[in-house]
Amino acid sequence: MTQSTRETERKYEVPASGDAPRLPGLTGSGKGWSLVDGGAHDLDAVYYDTADLRLLRASATLRRREGGPDAGWHLKLPLGEDTREEIRAPLGTHDRGNPHDIPEGLRDLALSRTRGARLEPVVRLRTERTVRELVDADGGLLAELTLDRVRADSLRGDHGHAAWTELEVEAVTEDTAPTVLKRVEKALGKEGFTRSDAPSKAARALSETTPGAVPVAPRPAGTASGTAGEHVLAYLTRQARAVVDLDPAVRRGLPDSVHQMRVACRRLRSCLRSYRPLLDREVTEPVRAELKWLGGELGAERDQEVLLARLRGGVDALPGELVLGPVSARLQAWDAARSSEARDRTLAALSSPRYVALLEALDRLTTHPPLRAKAARKPAKVLPRALLKEHDRLAHRVERALRTPAGPERDAAFHEARKGAKRVRYAAEVARPALGGAAKRLAKRVKAVQEALGDHHDSVVARETLRRQAVAAHRVGEPGFTWGLLYGREQAGAAGRERELPQLWRAATRGDARKALRT
């Protein structure tokens, strides 16, 4: 069993002096603020990583720690500047620090970063910790300040050693963290404390104990400048990182995580398609195929979430006298069976060798990009052409959908147009840093088209489900009135979307955005 907490903290170098290191007084850091004794602890931690330090390269750490109030296994994952999520598991009954004793749950949550490589002990840290608690005038806890005297021993075969003293300041609540950390840092600066460059104790220990160890730098920002290829690569890097970062949340079933991971897969696929002239297709097409597979596996769970929310919303919007029979109970039973199956499908995909191979492929794609000669050209010469080509493809799909008579074929044509609209939006996202407002305007207009087409498609799926529920209810003698009423409302809503589409499309094809892209 695991539990999760968030921590927002900063590390500081202790000013050099002839005296023993001490905790600062923080005089004047805040009105009525004061420091109280928080005790002392002896900590003994072994950190685990792959042979090539994949966790540390991804700003993550995994450790087994004895001593202190939170002894156990800790997996720390980055959430943003100064903030990390710490996922904890208790020490096992027979746990002696052997890498094979790593809790399976934590090993799985680290998989998107390790990509299945073996985890092994890399460094041991023994820390003498002195704690002070920063409290306000009412005695409320604001932050913890810990003075850590650290001894590090490499476990990678080189027998390196290091020692240092550092100060950690951890804010207690996210709401007050920015204010508290800012004031504390100002007070620390007056006493000679400076921010540490090391992202973690483990990173510092390895850099100081292991001769020739690859420096662990912060993750690249994924920004772009210069060539068209650099812009495309920056976008691919951000989306590949999103897949990696979202993996633990998807495994734990956190809200919206499946949706966001599926969107990252779509954005990657779309970028690789729209900007094919800049990339070696022999490398990218297999990756696109695997991204389509993963998106499909995630889609079962996400589509069920969307469909259930739509159907429940429809029922909740009806007056009570129009809800006849056990409608809510039937929906609940239907969802229980489908959600469980979809959840199993998601977890099976993330546990498969095929998924690990895809993670490896994404890593290679971003670290050794298969750029063609055209990628070296200026963005203004290459990116607009690809974006306008996607817009032209969308135009053909929309015009075909509007010409198709009402019925299943038209529904399918609308769905194809929706997918084309997404490709235009994603292609514009890639180009926006280089092309600015023109790409932004085009994306905004196409988004309105996509949303209308998306609502239409959701209505098509909902109507089929409502029809099946009505048939199932009829078979056991339950009233079918409410199901038919919901069906009719969905049908009317879809017809309204069809009437809106021509106007939305005219707005999306106004010439100024396209003209600006050509200049």
Side-chain angles (χ1 to χ4, degrees):
M1 180 180 295
T2 63
Q3 60 179 1
S4 171
T5 62
R6 289 193 175 197
E7 61 177 27
T8 302
E9 67 177 23
R10 295 178 180 176
K11 298 180 184 297
Y12 296 87
E13 299 290 344
V14 176
S17 69
D19 300 327
R22 59 176 179 81
L23 278 162
L26 297 186
T27 303
S29 58
K31 186 176 181 180
W33 291 6
S34 59
L35 288 171
V36 298
D37 182 31
H41 307 284
D42 291 328
L43 311 175
D44 191 349
V46 174
Y47 285 77
Y48 295 82
D49 208 329
T50 63
D52 54 357
L53 305 180
R54 295 180 181 184
L55 288 180
L56 283 175
R57 289 173 185 276
S59 301
T61 58
L62 173 63
R63 73 185 177 205
R64 176 192 180 276
R65 186 161 76 184
E66 295 179 348
D70 62 346
W73 289 90
H74 305 155
L75 174 64
K76 293 192 177 188
L77 304 174
L79 293 177
E81 185 179 4
D82 299 329
T83 302
R84 294 182 294 178
E85 181 175 25
E86 183 174 283
I87 306 167
R88 301 174 181 174
L91 298 176
T93 304
H94 304 292
D95 186 353
R96 295 293 184 272
N98 188 294
H100 297 295
D101 293 329
I102 296 173
E104 195 65 29
L106 296 187
R107 192 189 298 273
D108 289 343
L109 293 176
L111 184 138
S112 65
R113 292 169 168 85
T114 64
R115 303 191 298 281
R118 180 178 178 270
L119 287 165
E120 57 189 32
V122 293
V123 70
R124 180 184 183 185
L125 301 184
R126 282 169 285 189
T127 303
E128 297 176 15
R129 169 165 289 181
T130 303
V131 183
R132 294 289 185 273
E133 295 178 345
L134 180 65
V135 298
D136 60 20
D138 298 322
L141 183 61
L142 298 171
E144 282 190 351
L145 282 72
T146 61
L147 187 67
D148 291 338
R149 297 174 177 86
V150 184
R151 291 176 294 150
D153 300 294
S154 174
L155 302 177
R156 288 161 58 87
D158 46 36
H159 308 296
H161 306 281
W164 70 90
T165 301
E166 67 180 31
L167 176 71
E168 285 187 2
V169 181
E170 180 178 347
V172 172
T173 62
E174 289 187 64
D175 292 340
T176 61
T179 299
V180 171
L181 292 177
K182 182 179 180 180
R183 291 182 179 179
V184 170
E185 183 159 303
K186 183 177 181 180
L188 289 174
K190 295 178 180 179
E191 299 199 26
F193 289 80
T194 57
R195 286 284 292 271
S196 172
D197 293 331
S200 67
K201 282 185 174 66
R204 179 170 184 171
L206 283 165
S207 65
E208 293 190 13
T209 64
T210 306
V214 178
V216 181
R219 296 187 306 173
T223 57
S225 61
T227 68
E230 287 172 334
H231 280 272
V232 171
L233 178 59
Y235 187 83
L236 291 172
T237 300
R238 289 195 298 272
Q239 301 311 318
R241 187 186 306 149
V243 172
V244 171
D245 289 348
L246 286 163
D247 174 290
V250 172
R251 291 178 188 273
R252 295 154 62 201
L254 298 187
D256 204 42
S257 57
V258 172
H259 169 57
Q260 293 298 328
M261 190 175 191
R262 190 185 185 194
V263 168
C265 290
R266 284 175 170 168
R267 283 176 164 145
L268 283 164
R269 286 182 60 211
S270 181
C271 180
L272 293 175
R273 171 193 167 94
S274 299
Y275 296 98
R276 283 184 294 191
L278 281 66
L279 303 163
D280 183 350
R281 295 188 190 183
E282 291 188 6
V283 176
T284 60
E285 287 304 300
V287 177
R288 287 190 68 241
E290 292 306 284
L291 287 167
K292 182 178 182 180
W293 161 77
L294 178 58
E297 298 304 294
L298 297 172
E301 185 171 0
R302 173 58 183 169
D303 290 346
Q304 181 64 16
E305 291 175 356
V306 172
L307 180 56
L308 177 65
R310 190 179 186 97
L311 297 181
R312 279 183 174 165
V315 173
D316 292 343
L318 293 175
E321 63 269 19
L322 298 183
V323 181
L324 306 182
V327 174
S328 294
R330 178 169 287 280
L331 267 182
Q332 184 176 355
W334 164 81
D335 176 60
R338 289 176 59 95
S339 293
S340 177
E341 181 180 342
R343 182 63 182 159
D344 290 344
R345 183 173 171 181
T346 294
L347 294 177
L350 298 189
S351 300
S352 67
R354 187 173 182 178
Y355 174 64
V356 175
L358 173 57
L359 293 174
E360 288 284 6
L362 290 175
D363 182 69
R364 289 193 299 271
L365 181 70
T366 55
T367 56
H368 299 85
L371 299 175
R372 300 175 62 190
K374 189 177 290 188
R377 298 180 183 177
K378 294 181 179 180
K381 297 293 185 181
V382 178
L383 302 185
R385 188 176 304 171
L387 179 52
L388 290 172
K389 186 173 292 186
E390 287 292 3
H391 194 270
D392 290 339
R393 293 191 184 105
L394 172 60
H396 290 307
R397 292 188 179 199
V398 172
E399 291 162 4
R400 178 186 174 191
L402 293 175
R403 291 195 306 267
T404 304
E409 290 187 5
R410 188 176 202 184
D411 293 340
F414 269 53
H415 184 42
E416 289 302 309
R418 176 198 185 190
K419 291 190 286 187
K422 286 183 179 180
R423 292 194 186 109
V424 173
R425 280 189 59 205
Y426 297 152
E429 286 179 357
V430 178
R432 182 178 171 181
L435 306 183
K440 180 181 179 180
R441 288 193 297 273
L442 187 63
K444 183 178 180 179
R445 293 170 186 170
V446 169
K447 182 180 180 180
V449 174
Q450 176 196 325
E451 289 176 344
L453 292 169
D455 187 62
H456 182 277
H457 176 69
D458 290 345
S459 177
V460 172
V461 176
R463 275 179 279 158
E464 177 57 24
T465 301
L466 290 166
R467 186 191 68 80
R468 292 180 179 178
Q469 293 301 311
V471 170
H474 176 74
R475 286 175 180 167
V476 296
E478 296 172 4
F481 172 81
T482 302
W483 303 109
L485 178 60
L486 292 171
Y487 187 101
R489 289 192 168 193
E490 287 287 357
Q491 194 170 41
R497 287 302 198 180
E498 292 182 15
R499 290 191 296 271
E500 291 174 3
L501 183 59
Q503 181 180 354
L504 291 172
W505 180 240
R506 283 195 295 272
T509 53
R510 293 209 317 252
D512 55 328
R514 291 178 59 92
K515 183 178 180 180
L517 288 172
R518 290 193 179 99
T519 59

